[in-house]
Amino acid sequence: MNVLIKNIKSLVGIRDAGVDRVRGNELINLPFISNAFLLISNGTIAAFGKMDEIHLSPLNESLNETVDAHNRVVMPCYCDSHTHLVFADTREQEFIYKIQGLSYAEIASKGGGILNSAKKLNAASEEFLIETTLQRIEQIIQHGTGAVEIKSGYGLSYESELKMLRVIAKLKIISPIPIKATFLGAHAFPLEYKNNRQGYLRLLVEELLPTIANEQLADYCDVFCDEGFFTPDETDVVLQAAWKYGIKPKIHANQLAVSGGVQAGVRNKAVSVDHLENISEEEIRCLQNSNTIPTLLPSAAFFLRMQYPPARTMIEADLPVTLASDYNPGSSPSGRMSFVVSLACIHMKMTPEEALNAATINGAAAMELSDLLGSVTIGKKANLIITKPINSIANIPYHFGDDLIERVIIS
Ligand code: NIG
Ligand code: FE
């Protein structure tokens, strides 16, 4: 199957193979070719270049389809490296509580929040969860996402955490886009373990992790390391146990407070530390001396009316800032990455180029998928967005709430 996209106004996000992530002042550069073509062969990017060099490309094989992208931008799909896409029900009642003045922490302490989702997930069948999550995957693909990470963490019991991870494993097989699975048993302490935190840690470490490793159900292990949730010491216990099985950390840190989560992530060699609404110079220094990616989730800050993470400070510190949606029923009930990019530009003062790099190649890096996705590179998967006619890529964040997508190509 060969598809040619021709007359592309601007083909953006071009990277050499081997570029894993972009950091600091490299982020401002989103390399592009004007008046370009791109050839897809059997699901991968086979060639691209200037239209006047099209005769040099290997087009002798018969084309199955030619797409005219006149006045349109072609860019890599978003790589959404942080979601909680498997859930049994929405939580709009809590949305109303929030409007009436309750905080996220107050709702959580009333047994709402994550525990509310856990109660509903316990009652849901695997079939129901597969069907509804697949619908969400199809929806985010329409919004331009071409790879996604999905966490457990609404199970909070042996059976239900495994149920969530088995659902994700089945979705990996049937989903049109690549999925990475993350075990987030340490999302909250279930009520029955409220006064027995050690007991819950034992369940995670001694019972769940061995089964998960044995069935190869998780690519990563997450902990909600934050005030009122898991302490840095408890985080160490879970992450060290995960490492014994070769499962790398990707954690929630510093959403609610400067909590020691960044340091816990870095000392446990986390692939990424995510949220970072609360961060001081010390955390930034800690990230500078590490390979850990800071992933920012501005739609959660937006939805919870919290302060946004200081993206500019992190970019000035030469960090590979990444953007993800945090799609979940409690703090970010949307997986629309173009809106995440808008928020990053409007509230975090990232330029459109910086935000698009953060949401594509760096998102891929935060899922260790940079060799496969996140840029226009020969040999990478052809997961691409063709926009509607637009003046420039700045229109994407500028028209917040719209996607400006004409077509999403998956492979
Ligand atoms: O990333 N912060 C922890 N976990 C999710 C929220 C989960 C929920 O409220 O259901 C988050 O924001
Ligand atoms: Fe999250």
Side-chain angles (χ1 to χ4, degrees), residues 82 84 151 252 275 297 326 328:
H82 181 138
H84 309 247
K151 300 172 193 298
H252 284 73
H275 271 293
L297 313 167
D326 199 13
N328 77 77

Side-chain angles (χ1 to χ4, degrees), residues 392-403:
S392 78
I393 55 129
N395 290 82
I396 296 170
Y398 167 81
H399 290 287
F400 69 89
D402 292 346
D403 290 322

